[in-house]
């Protein structure tokens, strides 16, 4: 570690103790920015890095609710409003038992650069709760969401902070939260994205993160004159991002062999497409069941626990959660001939595994760039809400596709310019940073 990175990380670790995921996210960005700070002493003087690492505001609150047995439950709610230099705070809400301040700070921090890359005017934020939606009834989820929004509503607004979904928060939860906001504020306004199509949602928003991740991979493949046609693909997770990444791979002629959930993974050499993909959609979005049922239905392999990366594939799309792809997984993938990784999830690959991929000249698309299609389409939803009109499926998909191509170009150009050709990690961090840093310079010490 250079003295520059070391100094910043010592301070970050002192001030933000017991937040390892936040340290990890900051370290990667600071390492990437070293050549930028060298060329731009004005950023150093204005303490842009020190300021960007500190959230503008953190809100933490009690979320009490009553379960179906009449028992009072208490969860913790958060919203990290990280940076508003280029637009209102924007980023998802995560409901998962692992949620804590450090996790949301890592996600909010990454969101600043991701949102900047989309070319749209959105600042960075993230929020959520340690509430676990698994095994809860719709009524319980509704009561929780109403209680959560009973505090959050006073902190958000169409020009202030616009949350959306993330792990454990999909259309159902967004609906319950929107209903409660509207009741409390007596206003029908675009304060959440990922809304239902009949009440302000955008076509393609459900598909956007998964589609975007595959569009980004497609751009990386094109640099080597390759396409998805005939490629074998491993996808982790089976939630929103994984589902639509799988659909897009199928549309482009690839074959998804694996999917997973937090209990285990399936290997289906026939490919997860057609009625098999429809089955996943019903299993995960309607019946909310376990992926093991897929293996029972279609007679394919099922393994408990992690291991989705031990399959012979050309492309890996980690679409579940942070640090799910570790050094041994990276070694197994490379050994099996994998040459392209596109991160649908946020920070799914550990730093050691990222380094291994880069050393092995793998096409590696970091989440900030590769999964930016979701929030980009949220930005398009905000525009449609402001204009009080809706674009067609084709229009939104075309805009999403263009944005993903632009992000690819921006990342590759910045990587080249700052001395790391082909390194999308550095390129995405630098390109995302510059726009925010310049806006902060223009706006003074605030
Ligand atoms: P979902 O809740 O729809 O799906 C999450 C999937 O990942 C499920 O299959 C879940 O399994 C699995 N998973 C979650 N946590 C773990 C864990 N700790 N260990 C193993 N498996 C786990 O979430 P999304 O698909 O929306 O999000 C997936 C990833 O994509 C996250 O990293 C998210 O931050 C990122 N992302 C999402 C965007 C969006 O628009 N939704 C945009 C950009 C990034 P199980 O059901 O068993 O828990
Ligand atoms: O991580 C992410 O980019 C998201 N969960 C989507 C955020 C958004 O506001 O659509």
């Amino acid at each position: 570690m250079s003295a520059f990175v070391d100094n910043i990380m010592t301070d970050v670790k002192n001030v933000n103790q017991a937040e390892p995921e936040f340290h990890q996210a900051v370290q990667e960005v600071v390492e990437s920015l070293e050549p930028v700070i060298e060329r731009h002493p004005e950023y150093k003087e204005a303490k842009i890095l020190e300021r960007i690492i500190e959230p503008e505001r953190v809100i933490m609150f009690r979320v009490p609710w009553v379960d179906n047995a009449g028992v009072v439950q208490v969860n913790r709610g958060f919203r990290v409003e990280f940076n508003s230099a280029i637009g209102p705070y924007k980023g998802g809400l995560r409901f998962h038992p692992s949620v804590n301040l450090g996790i949301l700070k890592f996600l909010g921090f990454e969101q600043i650069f991701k949102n900047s890359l989309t070319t749209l005017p959105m600042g960075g934020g993230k929020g959520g709760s340690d509430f676990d939606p698994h095994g809860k009834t719709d009524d319980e989820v509704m009561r929780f969401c109403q209680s959560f929004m009973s505090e959050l509503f006073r902190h958000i607004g169409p020009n202030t902070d616009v949350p959306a979904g993330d792990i454990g928060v999909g259309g159902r939860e967004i609906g319950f939260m929107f209903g409660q906001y509207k009741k409390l504020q007596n206003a029908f306004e675009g304060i959440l994205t990922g809304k239902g199509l009949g009440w302000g949602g955008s076509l393609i928003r459900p598909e956007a993160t998964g589609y975007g991740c595959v569009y980004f991979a497609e751009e990386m493949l094109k640099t080597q004159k390759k396409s998805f046609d005939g490629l074998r693909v491993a996808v982790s997770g089976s939630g929103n991002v994984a589902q639509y990444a799988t659909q897009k791979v199928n549309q482009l002629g690839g074959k998804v062999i694996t999917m997973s959930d937090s209990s285990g993974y399936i290997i289906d050499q026939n490919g997860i497409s057609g009625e098999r993909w429809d089955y996943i959609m019903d299993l995960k979005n309607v019946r909310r069941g376990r992926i093991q049922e897929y293996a029972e239905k279609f007679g394919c392999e099922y393994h408990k626990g992690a291991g989705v990366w031990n399959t012979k594939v050309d492309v890996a799309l980690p679409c579940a959660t942070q640090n799910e792809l570790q050094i041994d997984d990276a070694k197994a993938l490379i050994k099996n001939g994998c040459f392209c990784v596109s991160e649908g999830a946020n920070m799914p690959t550990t730093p050691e595994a990222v380094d291994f991929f880069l050393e092995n000249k793998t096409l590696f698309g970091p989440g900030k760039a590769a999964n930016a299609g979701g929030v980009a389409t949220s930005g398009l939803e905000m525009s449609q809400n402001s204009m009080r009109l809706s674009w067609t499926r084709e229009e939104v998909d075309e805009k999403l596709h263009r944005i993903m191509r632009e992000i690819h170009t921006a990342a590759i150009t910045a990587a080249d310019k700052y001395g790391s050709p082909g390194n999308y990690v550095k390129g995405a961090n630098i390109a995302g940073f510059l726009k925010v840093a310049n806006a902060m310079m223009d706006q003074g010490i605030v």
Side-chain angles (χ1 to χ4, degrees), residues 116-303:
S116 164
L117 283 169
T118 65
T119 70
L120 304 174
M122 298 181 289
K126 199 84 189 189
S129 174
D130 58 0
F131 173 72
D132 185 0
H134 290 108
K136 305 288 191 301
T137 65
D138 288 352
D139 283 349
E140 289 176 316
V141 170
M142 181 178 75
R143 287 196 294 275
F144 172 81
C145 287
Q146 290 175 340
S147 180
F148 184 82
M149 188 50 88
S150 297
E151 175 57 37
L152 188 68
F153 87 101
R154 63 183 104 253
H155 307 289
I156 63 176
N159 298 311
T160 309
D161 185 357
V162 184
D166 192 78
I167 291 176
V169 178
R172 173 181 63 170
E173 291 75 16
I174 294 290
F176 293 147
M177 287 191 278
F178 186 81
Q180 185 70 358
Y181 177 91
K182 189 162 54 68
K183 178 170 178 168
L184 293 170
Q185 203 67 286
N186 191 26
F188 192 112
E189 44 191 11
I191 42 80
L192 289 166
T193 57
K195 299 187 289 298
L197 290 178
W199 42 278
S202 174
L203 285 157
I204 302 283
R205 177 61 189 90
E207 292 90 338
T209 312
Y211 279 18
C213 170
V214 175
Y215 289 152
F216 193 87
E218 202 185 14
E219 291 305 306
M220 294 197 292
L221 291 170
K222 272 194 214 159
T223 65
Q224 298 188 351
K225 310 227 174 328
K226 292 182 179 136
S227 79
F228 266 101
D229 200 22
L231 297 188
R232 289 165 56 90
V233 180
V235 172
S236 65
S238 47
N240 173 264
V241 181
Q243 292 162 10
Y244 288 104
T246 299
Q247 185 182 54
K248 186 50 75 179
V249 169
N250 290 332
Q251 288 170 2
L252 297 179
K255 201 185 216 187
V256 174
I257 311 292
T258 65
M259 286 181 95
S260 65
D261 61 21
S262 58
S263 309
Y265 64 101
I266 50 167
I267 301 184
D268 185 351
Q269 300 294 349
N270 291 306
I272 303 165
S273 63
E275 61 153 340
R276 292 170 186 239
W277 183 82
D278 295 341
Y279 181 88
I280 292 274
M281 296 301 279
D282 182 64
L283 174 69
K284 287 294 173 183
N285 304 338
V286 182
R287 293 193 286 125
R288 299 180 192 273
R290 309 310 300 160
I291 200 131
Q292 182 170 10
E293 292 174 45
Y294 177 104
E296 286 156 12
K297 164 93 179 163
F298 295 108
C300 71
E301 274 181 58
Y302 172 77
H303 302 273

Side-chain angles (χ1 to χ4, degrees), residues 79 90-94 107 111 114-115 122 125-126 162-167 193-194 205 209 241 344-346 367 371-379 382:
R79 186 72 182 164
K90 181 83 197 87
L93 296 169
R94 177 177 290 191
L107 289 162
Q111 199 82 42
K114 184 197 306 193
N115 292 4
M122 298 181 289
K126 199 84 189 189
V162 184
D166 192 78
I167 291 176
T193 57
R205 177 61 189 90
T209 312
V241 181
N346 285 306
N371 73 37
V375 73
T377 308
S378 279
M382 289 167 72

Side-chain angles (χ1 to χ4, degrees), residues 325-404:
L325 199 169
Q326 302 175 1
I327 184 65
D328 289 345
D329 304 316
K331 287 182 177 163
L333 282 167
I334 296 285
K335 191 160 155 257
N336 279 322
C338 173
F339 53 80
C340 177
V341 179
S342 188
E343 294 188 326
N346 285 306
M347 207 168 77
T349 313
T350 62
E352 217 184 346
V354 174
D355 288 346
F356 188 77
F357 283 133
L358 295 176
E359 281 157 20
N360 281 278
K361 303 279 175 247
T362 312
L363 293 168
F364 183 82
K368 274 186 209 91
N371 73 37
V375 73
T377 308
S378 279
L380 301 176
E381 182 170 329
M382 289 167 72
S383 302
Q384 292 169 83
N385 290 167
S386 300
M387 294 189 287
R388 297 190 191 281
L389 52 75
S390 25
W391 293 321
T392 63
R393 237 187 126 71
E394 291 70 28
E395 281 174 298
V396 181
D397 195 30
E398 197 275 320
K399 289 182 204 299
L400 165 65
H401 206 154
R402 178 175 47 76
I403 289 171
M404 296 314 297

